[in-house]
Amino acid sequence: MLLMVSFASTLSAQDLAVLKYKGGGDWYSNPTAVPNLIKFCNANINTTMNLKPEVVEPNSTDIFQYPLLHMTGHGNVFFSDDDIENLRNYLVSGGFLHIDDNYGMEPYVTKEIEKLFPNNELIELPTNHPIFNQAFNFPNGLPKIHEHDGLPPKALGIFYEGRLVLLFTLQSDLGDGWEDPDVHNDPQDVREKALKMGANIVKYAFEN
């Protein structure tokens, strides 16, 4: 059994990290996205995060150094038993996992979420959930950044003892909106919506 590590004993600063998972999916996609989000947060919501995010693996105690883990990709995701135990311990002891579907990971990652919390269902967050009104107001909930299938964006969550511990955003593609402007040629207002929603997620994870 893996050792549960306390945030109180390991957390020295408020930073986020990128989760490197197994299964063959491109966990490394959108390379400019998280650094751009960090810059935006440091400039707009008074965070002091390191500009270069660390990469951590789900079975490592390193994850307990970060109040927020970000995970994205297009394809397959697999968590081993050790990954599941360590990630669950991380989440129930105060951590937060944001999974942003970069289009195509939903059928794979939902199976792994079920392994993480077999007794907790993914629940769509109502538009009045506090995560949509942290630093910036999104009265209609999660913004639509890229069209893909043309379906409405969804923000799904796992709650543990009343606390939101996992956020799964899909049919939105926030990470694409965080990327450098010349990657997807998104209009400035679209990029701004994505960055503001990202900042809300960071602020919520750091404060709850």
Side-chain angles (χ1 to χ4, degrees), residues 62-76:
D62 290 344
I63 65 175
F64 289 86
Q65 298 177 47
Y66 304 97
L68 169 60
L69 302 179
H70 174 75
M71 175 179 169
T72 192
H74 298 84
N76 192 38

Side-chain angles (χ1 to χ4, degrees), residues 60-172:
S60 171
T61 56
D62 290 344
I63 65 175
F64 289 86
Q65 298 177 47
Y66 304 97
L68 169 60
L69 302 179
H70 174 75
M71 175 179 169
T72 192
H74 298 84
N76 192 38
V77 177
F78 174 74
F79 292 147
S80 69
D81 290 345
D82 283 350
D83 295 339
I84 290 291
E85 184 176 7
N86 199 52
L87 269 177
R88 186 187 297 119
N89 287 342
Y90 163 81
L91 294 169
V92 302
S93 63
F96 190 96
L97 175 60
H98 173 218
I99 306 171
D100 187 46
D101 188 345
N102 202 6
Y103 194 56
M105 74 185 305
E106 179 188 7
Y108 308 105
V109 78
T110 49
K111 293 179 182 178
E112 302 310 293
I113 293 172
E114 289 174 5
K115 287 161 58 176
L116 265 175
F117 290 98
N119 299 317
N120 303 69
E121 290 187 10
L122 278 167
I123 298 171
E124 186 162 6
L125 302 187
T127 57
N128 64 351
H129 188 275
I131 206 165
F132 299 120
N133 190 25
Q134 288 293 294
F136 304 99
N137 188 27
F138 287 87
N140 297 317
L142 189 69
K144 183 77 170 174
I145 305 305
H146 279 185
E147 284 302 315
H148 294 312
D149 294 330
L151 299 174
K154 286 187 177 182
L156 307 177
I158 292 286
F159 289 83
Y160 179 80
E161 295 184 349
R163 182 176 74 89
L164 179 65
V165 299
L166 184 151
L167 174 68
F168 179 31
T169 50
L170 64 158
Q171 292 294 335
S172 169

Side-chain angles (χ1 to χ4, degrees), residues 2 9 18 26 40 51 91 124 183 206 208:
L2 294 175
S9 64
V18 173
D26 54 342
F40 182 86
L51 295 179
L91 294 169
E124 186 162 6
V183 176
F206 282 6
N208 291 273

